[in-house]
Amino acid sequence: MSDTKPTALVISAHSADFVWRCGGAIALHAAKGYNVSVVCLSYGERGESAKLWKNDGCTLEHVKTERKREAENAARALGVHDIEFMDLGDYPLEVGRDAKFKLVDTIRKVQPKFMLSHSFVDNYNTDHSLATRVAIECRMIAQAWGHNPGEKVLGAPQLYLFEPHQTEQMEWKPDLFLDITDVWDKKWAAIQCMEGQEHLWHYYENVAENRANHFRRNSGGQAGGRAAKYAEGFQSVYPRTVDEL
Amino acid sequence: MSDTKPTALVISAHSADFVWRCGGAIALHAAKGYNVSVVCLSYGERGESAKLWKNDGCTLEHVKTERKREAENAARALGVHDIEFMDLGDYPLEVGRDAKFKLVDTIRKVQPKFMLSHSFVDNYNTDHSLATRVAIECRMIAQAWGHNPGEKVLGAPQLYLFEPHQTEQMEWKPDLFLDITDVWDKKWAAIQCMEGQEHLWHYYENVAENRANHFRRNSGGQAGGRAAKYAEGFQSVYPRTVDEL
Amino acid sequence: MSDTKPTALVISAHSADFVWRCGGAIALHAAKGYNVSVVCLSYGERGESAKLWKNDGCTLEHVKTERKREAENAARALGVHDIEFMDLGDYPLEVGRDAKFKLVDTIRKVQPKFMLSHSFVDNYNTDHSLATRVAIECRMIAQAWGHNPGEKVLGAPQLYLFEPHQTEQMEWKPDLFLDITDVWDKKWAAIQCMEGQEHLWHYYENVAENRANHFRRNSGGQAGGRAAKYAEGFQSVYPRTVDEL
Amino acid sequence: MSDTKPTALVISAHSADFVWRCGGAIALHAAKGYNVSVVCLSYGERGESAKLWKNDGCTLEHVKTERKREAENAARALGVHDIEFMDLGDYPLEVGRDAKFKLVDTIRKVQPKFMLSHSFVDNYNTDHSLATRVAIECRMIAQAWGHNPGEKVLGAPQLYLFEPHQTEQMEWKPDLFLDITDVWDKKWAAIQCMEGQEHLWHYYENVAENRANHFRRNSGGQAGGRAAKYAEGFQSVYPRTVDEL
Amino acid sequence: MSDTKPTALVISAHSADFVWRCGGAIALHAAKGYNVSVVCLSYGERGESAKLWKNDGCTLEHVKTERKREAENAARALGVHDIEFMDLGDYPLEVGRDAKFKLVDTIRKVQPKFMLSHSFVDNYNTDHSLATRVAIECRMIAQAWGHNPGEKVLGAPQLYLFEPHQTEQMEWKPDLFLDITDVWDKKWAAIQCMEGQEHLWHYYENVAENRANHFRRNSGGQAGGRAAKYAEGFQSVYPRTVDEL
Amino acid sequence: MSDTKPTALVISAHSADFVWRCGGAIALHAAKGYNVSVVCLSYGERGESAKLWKNDGCTLEHVKTERKREAENAARALGVHDIEFMDLGDYPLEVGRDAKFKLVDTIRKVQPKFMLSHSFVDNYNTDHSLATRVAIECRMIAQAWGHNPGEKVLGAPQLYLFEPHQTEQMEWKPDLFLDITDVWDKKWAAIQCMEGQEHLWHYYENVAENRANHFRRNSGGQAGGRAAKYAEGFQSVYPRTVDEL
């Protein structure tokens, strides 16, 4: 890993979440010279692979293999620097002490300028909200001078919550929109790697188009907002520190 | 007014609010080359001038004159480009249709890159929350192509809510901290212009110091946050539109 | 009005609200030696008098007369010190500048140790939430040294929000329960003065019994809570200032 | 107006809102035999007609005429029973006592089984949230037995809040999704009547497609949810009363 | 279990909760031909049986036996199809992986048209809020095609949160009221089976009467609402999918 | 422990929290004759001792010893009756079944008139919010007649949430302010015992001064509020039960 490149870290409950929810942010920052790392806590093998399970004789290992392949393809399309599969199980995801400490190791190794994870609330999918709680807890542990003393401790990276499905039910409120027009082709390519969830491709194309409308409206609307065609929304967990408003 | 300088606009319910709550932001942006305009909807002559009213024979005109003088002195200390007194009355502040349209004129004239006003809620002081509602309504009118057709319509400037007194009671939650260390001397000088409210000087010095602690904590803490000594906090009303997280 | 007695002030949108919602508090404090004043902003003549309007030939004046009589009877039963009818109209209640200043006069005259009014939200009855906004605004005006200089300004009395109908829809959350067992007979007598709304008598008897259950549960439950039989709940708007937790 | 048909009433701040936000609900209920009435409080002539105002020599009357024509065309396409233009002005919309009472007349005349209006919050467009407050206030007045005694008072119709632009910023949370697949062609035709706002056509097509995804997910998903292709979401203000869960 | 009858599933933290909080819904749906199943996660043997523990020589087994007997009697009175006691312990309730999977088995076996459990928040009784979190998590697992492949996966049943004690403290807001007048005698009989908690009988009678007032008010009030005498309130977790508003 | 003295119990996630956040309340109640007990769930040895860890050769045991010494000194300065160190580890704090039951033993032994712990939310420090959840859960267990039958069960003590760092981010809203002017010298002495966190001394001096401003403002302001110089704020979890408003 280069010492000099800025870095970002995505913590994804299942192996496809990072594609739909922040694939544009990944590709954009990769294009800007960031090393973007992705950690998939599980493959989503039990709960997010209905299409595969409908085939006779399907096994857990087969699903994991397929999901891993899809995720690796998508990561390649987005320019992900590094993708790690923790294989912690899904529906329900369970993250014990050892897994947390392993994730802390990754956070410290990456030293992300910012982190990305799920919404706080998800009453459809408790794996998602658990991933966020774990991200917050592990960020805290990574900041502790007494955890593996001698290692470089973590600073205070922002944690952005990417867009959940059915945003309003998840009490998710974006406070920034990112213009991903220039990398939309990469996100679209990555989306198409998700062969098992083809029913979601067009849905997230619509999301990207409509978030671009929100981008335009908030950057000046008909009085001169930028002509973004695709965008992604994010909710910040922590306040920003700035030199200019 | 220079065509080329960036601009900002503060909408202050009473003539002292802009000093305590965003004096640092004003001085900092003035120093950066912004033209910062301030609109005082009232002088706070009835409700925020207890010290003067305790003197025998005090009149409304006398209080207004004193409050205006203090506010002009403070504005000068902060490098305010322009200060306007709308004299709409206080306790209660009342803002009718004509006053709104006059404020829209100012907004369009200034074409602010960002605006500043009060918190959404204030159960101690309904003038404050009214000022914010008016700011939001007039921002909307200023964006209307059919309002005074031919004038330059407003884009989509951010509206920052500055820090109220007793923040938690006002349901105000800052999402950014601004380092005002370099202009603290100017804010402190402006604060001291508020002769009638000397009991608040030290209070807002404490606020600035403690917000700097929050700045440091959120910019990296003991792992390398910047050594800000004075800061101000703000809550954004609208989402941001960005090219990089 | 006695100089030495503590005082309380109820601001009631319609002339019956004070009975159902805080009749116990009124009777209890009257019994403790308070002078409790009640201001009825309207009679509830149009919207809360269905039973009367179902009679042929009913007129607005007739309804007002009946409602006033009922309210005066109830006030007498509760030991109200003074009841004022502002007759501002209902459905919708409208409170202009003059009416506000008249209410400020009353507040300053009473100098209440605490005030009582409606919940913040009421999507069934906007008169109720308006009454609360007016109470907060007039409390603020009464505190202004520049309003009618020379008069005694108001301190910082607590504003308690009494129990609305369908509490959960009104986002009302009580933070204290008052034991009204000793004065229940008075509240029950006052309730029975509300001849036009007999359908609510038993409802509010149930409320009082169940709030007593909440009183017992929060004062120690089966481990020794007091055997309150009737109680009322209130939500405080402002923080308390204390010498002991 | 037929005595026997069920009815619904839409209260729209500007003359195009009812198309984007509940055009499907209107067409669907019209097809089911409802008489659906629409009240446009204003034409949106100043604030929602940028395209027209960009033409030289444009006048307020011209814009109103165009907006009215578009709205009438859209209403026809949707099967609206009756459309009323109150012409109260926009940016800002202002609704006085007389206008409220006129709206109450309409509500009582229609006796709607349900009503439709805007979200509670809209910090981009205060006309929208005002329309909702007015809808709630007028619903209350229409229920008052003492308002125009002798008229048939209103029962307790549900008020549905239709989908605002940028839902998350408006704190709008849908609690039901309506399948509008069968009438999508009508909604799409009505949308295309909005010639001045062509930039929004595709946006609301995306919304309808994605809300259908939400419909499917909440009606059983891959385990058998109905194959809705287009849907609309609504937030209920009042609780429902039912005989079966 | 009949293939053709509709089904419902109640998940109750302690063995008496289903009686007070949704006994009417159970009896009503049983009467309508539903098979209603109840799962009691614990007996409430340690924390909800004070009366028994006040007797000398009382043992845990004795309390469980008594609580089970009471619950079975109540279930019989309500027409419960099946009651299951998971005996997971109370104060605190603990639900491990095995217990969750066992509950998933039950959910899949029952294939409920709707589910019932506790409020999201309960700072008096953390067993209650845990039961709800578990209900949501197990609903999700039951929907996973990869969990016990070959079994029939769960659709998307609504989860209704039944009424907690001290509703306002629990941030519970009902969005529907169910008329249980026709089965009140059954609920009252079931309540009387709870011999150890006689102090709550009258409390929940009051609740049922007052919720009927809310039913009437929301179904038309004095303008023609149905004369329900007893009702229960529920909060829905998920949006509804409908064909008509 | 004296039978006759009133008691209070502080549950502190790390060994310094009780000093900054409620040292004044402890000293004040000790001075009033309370026996105040403190339970430190951990020493904060890993995450809150950066200064020590920056020294070469620092060990976990050394940090714990130092932290314990500082906490004991502070406790002595405040007049704490008893301080218990549970040594459960920090960053992350983990509280298992045995630890909970041990804490229940302490709660029952102390029989506190009130309890003190952290805010509900802390996205910077999940140990804090865990401590509060544990405090609520153990309070519940201590109330259970079936837990260690024969022991004296707990009544219903208030749980006050003391002031977190960055209050607004923690969604903490104080509902009472306690005047600690008379014991400020003791709190200041205790603060100075925290040698490892000298960067926070002045911060919490500012907090105490500004909370005194809030005390004054809420006890009457310029119209006669008490001249408190130092105060602490608290948020109550449960409603109060009173005899007088």
Short mmCIF file of all heavy atoms in Angstrom, two decimals, chain A residues 123-124, chain D residues 216-221 223 225 245, chain E residues 7-9 11 34 107-108 110-116 135-136 138-140 142-143 153-161 236-241:
data_model
loop_
_atom_site.label_atom_id
_atom_site.label_comp_id
_atom_site.label_asym_id
_atom_site.label_seq_id
_atom_site.Cartn_x
_atom_site.Cartn_y
_atom_site.Cartn_z
N ASN A 123 -35.09 -1.90 9.80
CA ASN A 123 -36.00 -2.90 10.37
C ASN A 123 -36.35 -4.01 9.38
O ASN A 123 -37.12 -4.91 9.72
CB ASN A 123 -37.28 -2.24 10.88
CG ASN A 123 -37.03 -1.46 12.15
OD1 ASN A 123 -36.28 -1.91 13.01
ND2 ASN A 123 -37.63 -0.29 12.26
N TYR A 124 -35.79 -3.94 8.20
CA TYR A 124 -35.92 -5.03 7.23
C TYR A 124 -34.70 -5.95 7.30
O TYR A 124 -34.78 -7.11 6.94
CB TYR A 124 -36.03 -4.48 5.81
CG TYR A 124 -37.29 -3.74 5.52
CD1 TYR A 124 -37.45 -2.42 5.90
CD2 TYR A 124 -38.35 -4.36 4.85
CE1 TYR A 124 -38.61 -1.73 5.63
CE2 TYR A 124 -39.52 -3.67 4.57
CZ TYR A 124 -39.65 -2.35 4.97
OH TYR A 124 -40.80 -1.67 4.69
N ARG D 216 -43.66 -3.95 -3.99
CA ARG D 216 -43.40 -5.39 -4.10
C ARG D 216 -42.69 -5.91 -2.86
O ARG D 216 -43.02 -6.97 -2.33
CB ARG D 216 -42.54 -5.67 -5.34
CG ARG D 216 -43.24 -5.34 -6.65
CD ARG D 216 -42.49 -5.90 -7.85
NE ARG D 216 -41.15 -5.37 -8.00
CZ ARG D 216 -40.82 -4.27 -8.69
NH1 ARG D 216 -41.78 -3.55 -9.28
NH2 ARG D 216 -39.58 -3.87 -8.78
N ARG D 217 -41.71 -5.16 -2.39
CA ARG D 217 -40.95 -5.62 -1.24
C ARG D 217 -41.84 -5.76 0.00
O ARG D 217 -41.65 -6.66 0.82
CB ARG D 217 -39.85 -4.60 -0.96
CG ARG D 217 -38.78 -5.16 -0.06
CD ARG D 217 -37.74 -4.12 0.26
NE ARG D 217 -36.57 -4.74 0.83
CZ ARG D 217 -35.74 -4.11 1.66
NH1 ARG D 217 -35.95 -2.85 1.96
NH2 ARG D 217 -34.72 -4.72 2.17
N ASN D 218 -42.80 -4.87 0.15
CA ASN D 218 -43.64 -4.89 1.33
C ASN D 218 -44.88 -5.75 1.17
O ASN D 218 -45.63 -5.94 2.13
CB ASN D 218 -44.05 -3.45 1.71
CG ASN D 218 -42.90 -2.71 2.35
OD1 ASN D 218 -42.53 -3.03 3.47
ND2 ASN D 218 -42.29 -1.78 1.62
N SER D 219 -45.10 -6.26 -0.02
CA SER D 219 -46.26 -7.15 -0.20
C SER D 219 -45.80 -8.60 -0.35
O SER D 219 -46.60 -9.46 -0.69
CB SER D 219 -47.07 -6.72 -1.42
OG SER D 219 -46.34 -6.91 -2.61
N GLY D 220 -44.53 -8.84 -0.07
CA GLY D 220 -44.09 -10.23 -0.06
C GLY D 220 -42.81 -10.50 -0.80
O GLY D 220 -42.24 -11.59 -0.70
N GLY D 221 -42.32 -9.53 -1.54
CA GLY D 221 -41.01 -9.66 -2.19
C GLY D 221 -40.91 -10.89 -3.06
O GLY D 221 -41.88 -11.25 -3.77
N ALA D 223 -40.97 -13.78 -2.32
CA ALA D 223 -41.81 -14.88 -1.86
C ALA D 223 -43.25 -14.72 -2.35
O ALA D 223 -44.14 -15.40 -1.87
CB ALA D 223 -41.79 -14.95 -0.33
N GLY D 225 -44.73 -11.31 -3.74
CA GLY D 225 -45.36 -9.98 -3.80
C GLY D 225 -45.95 -9.73 -5.19
O GLY D 225 -45.50 -10.29 -6.17
N LEU D 245 -56.91 -6.79 11.43
CA LEU D 245 -55.53 -6.31 11.24
C LEU D 245 -55.02 -6.71 9.86
O LEU D 245 -55.54 -7.62 9.24
CB LEU D 245 -54.63 -6.89 12.34
CG LEU D 245 -54.94 -6.38 13.75
CD1 LEU D 245 -54.02 -7.06 14.75
CD2 LEU D 245 -54.75 -4.88 13.83
N THR E 7 -53.45 -17.05 9.39
CA THR E 7 -52.75 -17.25 10.67
C THR E 7 -52.16 -15.93 11.16
O THR E 7 -51.90 -15.01 10.39
CB THR E 7 -51.61 -18.26 10.50
OG1 THR E 7 -50.78 -17.80 9.43
CG2 THR E 7 -52.13 -19.65 10.17
N ALA E 8 -51.90 -15.89 12.45
CA ALA E 8 -51.22 -14.74 13.07
C ALA E 8 -50.32 -15.28 14.17
O ALA E 8 -50.57 -16.37 14.71
CB ALA E 8 -52.25 -13.76 13.64
N LEU E 9 -49.28 -14.52 14.48
CA LEU E 9 -48.31 -14.97 15.48
C LEU E 9 -47.98 -13.84 16.44
O LEU E 9 -47.57 -12.75 16.03
CB LEU E 9 -47.02 -15.43 14.77
CG LEU E 9 -45.90 -15.91 15.70
CD1 LEU E 9 -46.30 -17.15 16.48
CD2 LEU E 9 -44.63 -16.18 14.90
N ILE E 11 -45.56 -12.65 19.55
CA ILE E 11 -44.30 -12.93 20.25
C ILE E 11 -44.29 -12.08 21.51
O ILE E 11 -44.18 -10.85 21.46
CB ILE E 11 -43.10 -12.64 19.34
CG1 ILE E 11 -43.16 -13.59 18.13
CG2 ILE E 11 -41.79 -12.82 20.11
CD1 ILE E 11 -42.07 -13.36 17.10
N TYR E 34 -59.15 -17.17 12.06
CA TYR E 34 -57.69 -17.26 12.05
C TYR E 34 -57.22 -18.33 13.04
O TYR E 34 -57.85 -18.53 14.08
CB TYR E 34 -57.07 -15.95 12.53
CG TYR E 34 -56.96 -14.86 11.50
CD1 TYR E 34 -58.10 -14.28 10.94
CD2 TYR E 34 -55.72 -14.38 11.10
CE1 TYR E 34 -57.99 -13.24 10.01
CE2 TYR E 34 -55.61 -13.35 10.17
CZ TYR E 34 -56.74 -12.78 9.64
OH TYR E 34 -56.63 -11.77 8.74
N ILE E 107 -41.98 -19.41 13.15
CA ILE E 107 -42.49 -18.40 12.21
C ILE E 107 -42.77 -19.04 10.85
O ILE E 107 -43.82 -18.82 10.25
CB ILE E 107 -41.49 -17.24 12.07
CG1 ILE E 107 -41.38 -16.45 13.38
CG2 ILE E 107 -41.91 -16.31 10.93
CD1 ILE E 107 -40.30 -15.37 13.38
N ARG E 108 -41.84 -19.86 10.40
CA ARG E 108 -42.03 -20.49 9.08
C ARG E 108 -43.17 -21.50 9.11
O ARG E 108 -43.90 -21.64 8.12
CB ARG E 108 -40.74 -21.19 8.66
CG ARG E 108 -39.69 -20.19 8.17
CD ARG E 108 -38.67 -20.89 7.33
NE ARG E 108 -37.86 -19.95 6.57
CZ ARG E 108 -36.78 -20.30 5.90
NH1 ARG E 108 -36.38 -21.58 5.90
NH2 ARG E 108 -36.10 -19.40 5.22
N VAL E 110 -45.81 -21.36 11.05
CA VAL E 110 -47.08 -20.63 11.14
C VAL E 110 -47.37 -19.84 9.86
O VAL E 110 -48.52 -19.72 9.44
CB VAL E 110 -47.07 -19.67 12.36
CG1 VAL E 110 -48.29 -18.76 12.35
CG2 VAL E 110 -47.01 -20.48 13.65
N GLN E 111 -46.33 -19.32 9.23
CA GLN E 111 -46.52 -18.44 8.04
C GLN E 111 -47.58 -17.39 8.33
O GLN E 111 -48.61 -17.29 7.66
CB GLN E 111 -46.90 -19.29 6.81
CG GLN E 111 -45.79 -20.18 6.30
CD GLN E 111 -44.72 -19.41 5.50
OE1 GLN E 111 -44.99 -18.33 4.96
NE2 GLN E 111 -43.51 -19.95 5.45
N PRO E 112 -47.30 -16.56 9.34
CA PRO E 112 -48.35 -15.62 9.78
C PRO E 112 -48.67 -14.55 8.73
O PRO E 112 -47.78 -14.06 8.04
CB PRO E 112 -47.72 -14.96 11.01
CG PRO E 112 -46.26 -15.07 10.77
CD PRO E 112 -46.05 -16.38 10.07
N LYS E 113 -49.93 -14.23 8.65
CA LYS E 113 -50.36 -13.10 7.82
C LYS E 113 -49.92 -11.79 8.48
O LYS E 113 -49.63 -10.82 7.81
CB LYS E 113 -51.88 -13.14 7.68
CG LYS E 113 -52.41 -12.35 6.52
CD LYS E 113 -53.88 -12.62 6.27
CE LYS E 113 -54.53 -11.33 5.75
NZ LYS E 113 -55.98 -11.37 5.86
N PHE E 114 -49.87 -11.80 9.81
CA PHE E 114 -49.29 -10.66 10.54
C PHE E 114 -48.71 -11.16 11.86
O PHE E 114 -49.10 -12.22 12.35
CB PHE E 114 -50.30 -9.53 10.76
CG PHE E 114 -51.50 -9.90 11.56
CD1 PHE E 114 -51.48 -9.88 12.95
CD2 PHE E 114 -52.69 -10.28 10.93
CE1 PHE E 114 -52.61 -10.23 13.70
CE2 PHE E 114 -53.81 -10.64 11.67
CZ PHE E 114 -53.78 -10.61 13.05
N MET E 115 -47.78 -10.37 12.39
CA MET E 115 -47.15 -10.69 13.66
C MET E 115 -47.43 -9.56 14.67
O MET E 115 -47.72 -8.44 14.27
CB MET E 115 -45.64 -10.83 13.47
CG MET E 115 -45.23 -11.96 12.54
SD MET E 115 -43.49 -11.84 11.97
CE MET E 115 -42.62 -12.13 13.51
N LEU E 116 -47.31 -9.88 15.95
CA LEU E 116 -47.54 -8.90 17.01
C LEU E 116 -46.41 -9.01 18.03
O LEU E 116 -46.06 -10.12 18.44
CB LEU E 116 -48.86 -9.18 17.72
CG LEU E 116 -50.14 -8.83 16.97
CD1 LEU E 116 -51.32 -9.65 17.48
CD2 LEU E 116 -50.45 -7.34 17.13
N ALA E 135 -37.92 -10.35 17.27
CA ALA E 135 -39.00 -10.61 16.31
C ALA E 135 -38.60 -10.11 14.92
O ALA E 135 -38.82 -10.79 13.91
CB ALA E 135 -40.29 -9.94 16.78
N ILE E 136 -38.00 -8.93 14.89
CA ILE E 136 -37.59 -8.34 13.61
C ILE E 136 -36.44 -9.14 12.98
O ILE E 136 -36.42 -9.40 11.78
CB ILE E 136 -37.20 -6.86 13.82
CG1 ILE E 136 -38.48 -6.04 14.05
CG2 ILE E 136 -36.42 -6.31 12.64
CD1 ILE E 136 -38.24 -4.60 14.47
N CYS E 138 -35.71 -12.33 13.54
CA CYS E 138 -36.16 -13.67 13.14
C CYS E 138 -37.08 -13.62 11.92
O CYS E 138 -37.06 -14.54 11.09
CB CYS E 138 -36.83 -14.37 14.31
SG CYS E 138 -35.63 -14.81 15.60
N ARG E 139 -37.85 -12.57 11.82
CA ARG E 139 -38.64 -12.35 10.59
C ARG E 139 -37.71 -12.30 9.39
O ARG E 139 -37.97 -12.89 8.35
CB ARG E 139 -39.44 -11.05 10.73
CG ARG E 139 -40.28 -10.63 9.54
CD ARG E 139 -40.90 -9.26 9.84
NE ARG E 139 -41.76 -8.75 8.78
CZ ARG E 139 -41.31 -8.03 7.73
NH1 ARG E 139 -40.02 -7.80 7.59
NH2 ARG E 139 -42.16 -7.58 6.83
N MET E 140 -36.60 -11.60 9.54
CA MET E 140 -35.61 -11.49 8.46
C MET E 140 -34.98 -12.84 8.13
O MET E 140 -34.85 -13.21 6.95
CB MET E 140 -34.52 -10.50 8.89
CG MET E 140 -33.33 -10.44 7.94
SD MET E 140 -31.94 -9.42 8.60
CE MET E 140 -31.17 -10.61 9.73
N ALA E 142 -36.24 -15.73 8.63
CA ALA E 142 -37.28 -16.59 8.03
C ALA E 142 -37.52 -16.25 6.56
O ALA E 142 -38.06 -17.06 5.81
CB ALA E 142 -38.58 -16.46 8.83
N GLN E 143 -37.11 -15.06 6.16
CA GLN E 143 -37.26 -14.65 4.75
C GLN E 143 -36.08 -15.11 3.89
O GLN E 143 -36.13 -14.98 2.66
CB GLN E 143 -37.38 -13.13 4.65
CG GLN E 143 -38.68 -12.57 5.22
CD GLN E 143 -38.70 -11.05 5.24
OE1 GLN E 143 -37.68 -10.42 5.47
NE2 GLN E 143 -39.86 -10.46 5.02
N VAL E 153 -40.15 -20.16 2.47
CA VAL E 153 -39.68 -18.92 3.08
C VAL E 153 -40.88 -18.03 3.44
O VAL E 153 -41.96 -18.18 2.90
CB VAL E 153 -38.71 -18.13 2.17
CG1 VAL E 153 -37.49 -18.97 1.82
CG2 VAL E 153 -39.42 -17.64 0.92
N LEU E 154 -40.59 -17.12 4.36
CA LEU E 154 -41.63 -16.20 4.82
C LEU E 154 -41.82 -15.07 3.80
O LEU E 154 -40.86 -14.63 3.17
CB LEU E 154 -41.19 -15.60 6.16
CG LEU E 154 -42.19 -14.68 6.87
CD1 LEU E 154 -43.37 -15.48 7.39
CD2 LEU E 154 -41.51 -13.95 8.03
N GLY E 155 -43.06 -14.59 3.66
CA GLY E 155 -43.34 -13.41 2.83
C GLY E 155 -42.96 -12.14 3.58
O GLY E 155 -41.85 -12.05 4.11
N ALA E 156 -43.85 -11.17 3.61
CA ALA E 156 -43.55 -9.90 4.28
C ALA E 156 -44.69 -9.51 5.20
O ALA E 156 -45.35 -8.49 5.01
CB ALA E 156 -43.28 -8.81 3.25
N PRO E 157 -44.92 -10.33 6.25
CA PRO E 157 -46.05 -10.01 7.15
C PRO E 157 -45.81 -8.71 7.90
O PRO E 157 -44.68 -8.39 8.25
CB PRO E 157 -46.05 -11.19 8.12
CG PRO E 157 -44.66 -11.70 8.12
CD PRO E 157 -44.17 -11.49 6.70
N GLN E 158 -46.86 -7.98 8.11
CA GLN E 158 -46.79 -6.79 8.95
C GLN E 158 -46.40 -7.20 10.37
O GLN E 158 -46.76 -8.30 10.83
CB GLN E 158 -48.15 -6.10 9.00
CG GLN E 158 -48.21 -4.82 9.83
CD GLN E 158 -47.25 -3.73 9.38
OE1 GLN E 158 -46.09 -3.71 9.79
NE2 GLN E 158 -47.73 -2.86 8.51
N LEU E 159 -45.64 -6.34 11.05
CA LEU E 159 -45.40 -6.51 12.48
C LEU E 159 -46.08 -5.36 13.20
O LEU E 159 -45.70 -4.19 13.02
CB LEU E 159 -43.90 -6.51 12.78
CG LEU E 159 -43.53 -6.52 14.26
CD1 LEU E 159 -44.05 -7.77 14.97
CD2 LEU E 159 -42.01 -6.43 14.44
N TYR E 160 -47.09 -5.70 13.97
CA TYR E 160 -47.78 -4.70 14.78
C TYR E 160 -47.18 -4.67 16.18
O TYR E 160 -46.99 -5.73 16.79
CB TYR E 160 -49.27 -5.02 14.88
CG TYR E 160 -50.02 -4.94 13.58
CD1 TYR E 160 -50.48 -6.10 12.95
CD2 TYR E 160 -50.28 -3.72 12.97
CE1 TYR E 160 -51.18 -6.04 11.76
CE2 TYR E 160 -50.98 -3.65 11.77
CZ TYR E 160 -51.42 -4.81 11.16
OH TYR E 160 -52.10 -4.75 9.98
N LEU E 161 -46.93 -3.47 16.67
CA LEU E 161 -46.44 -3.32 18.05
C LEU E 161 -47.64 -3.03 18.94
O LEU E 161 -48.35 -2.04 18.74
CB LEU E 161 -45.44 -2.17 18.12
CG LEU E 161 -44.29 -2.23 17.08
CD1 LEU E 161 -43.31 -1.10 17.33
CD2 LEU E 161 -43.59 -3.57 17.09
N SER E 236 -47.82 0.09 13.44
CA SER E 236 -47.28 -0.75 12.37
C SER E 236 -45.80 -0.44 12.14
O SER E 236 -45.41 0.73 12.11
CB SER E 236 -48.02 -0.46 11.06
OG SER E 236 -49.41 -0.53 11.25
N VAL E 237 -45.00 -1.46 11.95
CA VAL E 237 -43.58 -1.25 11.67
C VAL E 237 -43.35 -0.97 10.19
O VAL E 237 -42.54 -0.14 9.83
CB VAL E 237 -42.76 -2.47 12.13
CG1 VAL E 237 -41.31 -2.36 11.67
CG2 VAL E 237 -42.85 -2.61 13.64
N TYR E 238 -44.08 -1.66 9.33
CA TYR E 238 -43.82 -1.58 7.90
C TYR E 238 -44.96 -0.86 7.17
O TYR E 238 -46.10 -0.87 7.64
CB TYR E 238 -43.65 -2.98 7.32
CG TYR E 238 -42.55 -3.73 8.03
CD1 TYR E 238 -42.85 -4.71 8.99
CD2 TYR E 238 -41.21 -3.45 7.78
CE1 TYR E 238 -41.84 -5.37 9.67
CE2 TYR E 238 -40.20 -4.12 8.45
CZ TYR E 238 -40.51 -5.07 9.40
OH TYR E 238 -39.51 -5.72 10.08
N PRO E 239 -44.66 -0.25 6.03
CA PRO E 239 -45.74 0.38 5.25
C PRO E 239 -46.70 -0.68 4.70
O PRO E 239 -46.32 -1.84 4.51
CB PRO E 239 -45.01 1.07 4.09
CG PRO E 239 -43.58 0.82 4.23
CD PRO E 239 -43.34 -0.08 5.40
N ARG E 240 -47.91 -0.25 4.46
CA ARG E 240 -48.91 -1.12 3.87
C ARG E 240 -48.86 -1.03 2.35
O ARG E 240 -48.42 -0.02 1.79
CB ARG E 240 -50.31 -0.70 4.32
CG ARG E 240 -50.59 -0.95 5.78
CD ARG E 240 -52.01 -0.57 6.12
NE ARG E 240 -52.28 0.83 5.91
CZ ARG E 240 -53.37 1.32 5.35
NH1 ARG E 240 -54.33 0.51 4.91
NH2 ARG E 240 -53.53 2.63 5.24
N THR E 241 -49.36 -2.04 1.69
CA THR E 241 -49.47 -2.00 0.23
C THR E 241 -50.94 -2.18 -0.10
O THR E 241 -51.56 -3.16 0.31
CB THR E 241 -48.64 -3.13 -0.41
OG1 THR E 241 -49.03 -4.38 0.16
CG2 THR E 241 -47.16 -2.92 -0.17
#
